[in-house]
Amino acid sequence: MINFKTSKPLSQYLSRQRAAGKRIGFVPTMGALHPGHLSLIDLAKAENRVCVCSIFINPTQFNNENDFLHYPVTVEKDIQELLKRGCHALFLPNHSEIYPEGFQARYYELGALENILEGHFRPGHFQGVCQVVDRLLEIIEPDDIFLGQKDFQQCLVIDHLLTITGRRIQTHIAIAPTVREPGGLAMSSRNTRLNENEFQTAKAISEALYYIKDHALLQPVAELELQAMKYLSGKGLSVDYVTIADAGTLAKTTTLNKPAIALIAVTVGKVRLIDNMLLN
Ligand code: AMP
């Protein structure tokens, strides 16, 4: 694996790979890698692609300074994991490489997606996500970008970003299933901040999602949401939302006759966690 800290040698390397007939598969991350991230590396490597992973903890997507300051950093371990997995290139930029002096943040028109669910609870978050992903796409120009369903709203936002920036001509988006702990908890870098008790309690998130999925045809949508909410609160979790929404737009839905998704955000101890499950 070749490590790049700056964009110019990375671009040159990728040009040579393209000239040799390779496609470029890109996996953006904020590090503290776990098997969920590594499943994306496997996909990006498949089908004769060169796999580029980026690790950059993007300050502009954190609306909560405490969350940013406590975000786990495990770069040496991450490098070992990527090596073991056979990743071809790591992009590990510093702040000024992504946001050089004079960098002008543009405003991304994201429509309703910007202010609902995660957008509502984390104002400015998706503008920050678009800023960093747009910049990374500008540098890497991948053929395929690999994202996790775990951050479903982010997937829709980045899909929209490809449209509004015209990058869809170049880059295809692929969404991979959520990788879970044996007890069902969605893997997340933030899970490392949970103590044993909190880790056990956090299993209630996926239990609530499975409850909704299992009862989706048996109870009205509002009742499913209410039961899941009660279950999570009963376990001592602080619930931001339990929502069943249209899987294409994330608009709230009251019927399940179109593809729908259940989404949950809670805080366990000091750690905010999200998860979701497609229902039909
Ligand atoms: P992050 O480092 O949290 O920004 O995540 C980087 C990428 O990994 C994003 O596309 C996430 O959706 C994806 N990801 C995070 N957790 C998981 C998981 N448990 N399973 C699959 N993909 C994941």
Side-chain angles (χ1 to χ4, degrees):
M1 182 172 76
I2 311 180
N3 291 357
F4 296 93
K5 286 199 182 311
T6 54
S7 40
K8 206 165 167 203
L10 173 61
S11 300
Q12 288 165 347
Y13 164 79
L14 293 175
S15 298
R16 288 197 298 276
Q17 298 300 322
R18 270 186 215 99
K22 299 271 191 181
R23 282 175 76 83
I24 311 299
F26 174 44
V27 180
T29 82
M30 297 204 298
L33 301 183
H34 53 64
H37 295 117
L38 299 174
S39 73
L40 299 177
I41 301 294
D42 290 343
L43 289 173
K45 268 177 58 185
E47 296 167 20
N48 199 31
R49 270 185 298 262
V50 168
C51 169
V52 186
C53 175
S54 66
I55 297 180
F56 179 66
I57 305 180
N58 174 38
T60 71
Q61 72 188 69
F62 285 82
N63 58 310
N64 175 329
E65 202 187 346
N66 216 29
D67 188 25
F68 177 59
L69 293 175
H70 290 100
Y71 201 84
V73 180
T74 59
V75 178
E76 286 313 315
K77 181 169 166 283
D78 293 348
I79 291 175
Q80 294 311 316
E81 295 292 346
L82 290 171
L83 275 170
K84 270 195 258 166
R85 215 69 175 206
C87 179
H88 301 107
L90 168 62
F91 185 39
L92 198 61
N94 63 22
H95 185 273
S96 64
E97 194 65 27
I98 297 296
Y99 301 121
E101 227 182 285
F103 175 84
Q104 291 285 336
R106 73 171 258 200
Y107 175 75
Y108 297 90
E109 185 51 70
L110 301 175
L113 267 183
E114 174 156 14
N115 297 314
I116 56 174
L117 301 166
E118 286 307 282
H120 174 76
F121 285 93
R122 302 184 67 189
H125 170 62
F126 288 123
Q127 287 299 320
V129 167
C130 285
Q131 245 171 45
V132 73
V133 173
D134 197 14
R135 180 79 182 105
L136 289 166
L137 292 175
E138 177 182 62
I139 295 167
I140 294 167
E141 301 182 289
D143 298 288
D144 303 282
I145 181 170
F146 293 85
L147 306 171
Q149 187 198 313
K150 153 88 173 30
D151 299 281
F152 191 78
Q153 189 172 3
Q154 174 170 280
C155 293
L156 295 190
V157 164
I158 293 175
D159 189 58
H160 188 72
L161 176 75
L162 293 180
T163 303
I164 62 178
T165 55
R167 295 194 189 283
R168 191 181 297 286
I169 300 169
Q170 161 129 45
T171 303
H172 166 262
I173 188 167
I175 300 177
T178 302
V179 177
R180 298 179 178 280
E181 300 284 353
L185 176 64
M187 289 191 177
S188 163
S189 305
R190 289 183 173 88
N191 291 354
T192 58
R193 296 185 52 213
L194 301 171
N195 65 32
E196 182 53 32
N197 225 353
E198 291 164 344
F199 186 85
Q200 295 302 330
T201 308
K203 287 181 185 163
I205 305 166
S206 57
E207 287 164 358
L209 288 169
Y210 283 115
Y211 174 88
I212 292 175
K213 193 173 167 73
D214 291 346
H215 294 78
L217 297 176
L218 306 172
Q219 293 174 10
V221 163
E223 185 61 22
L224 292 168
E225 290 171 340
L226 186 67
Q227 289 303 327
M229 187 97 75
K230 278 190 184 160
Y231 183 72
L232 293 165
S233 306
K235 294 277 182 180
L237 302 181
S238 162
V239 182
D240 278 351
Y241 58 80
V242 174
T243 298
I244 297 175
D246 180 297
T249 62
L250 293 188
K252 258 186 90 57
T253 182
T254 51
T255 59
L256 296 182
N257 48 18
K258 284 206 288 186
I261 184 164
L263 307 112
I264 291 180
V266 300
T267 301
V268 190
K270 289 196 168 100
V271 185
R272 190 171 179 282
L273 298 173
I274 59 171
D275 196 0
N276 64 74
M277 205 164 276
L278 289 161
L279 299 181
N280 45 14

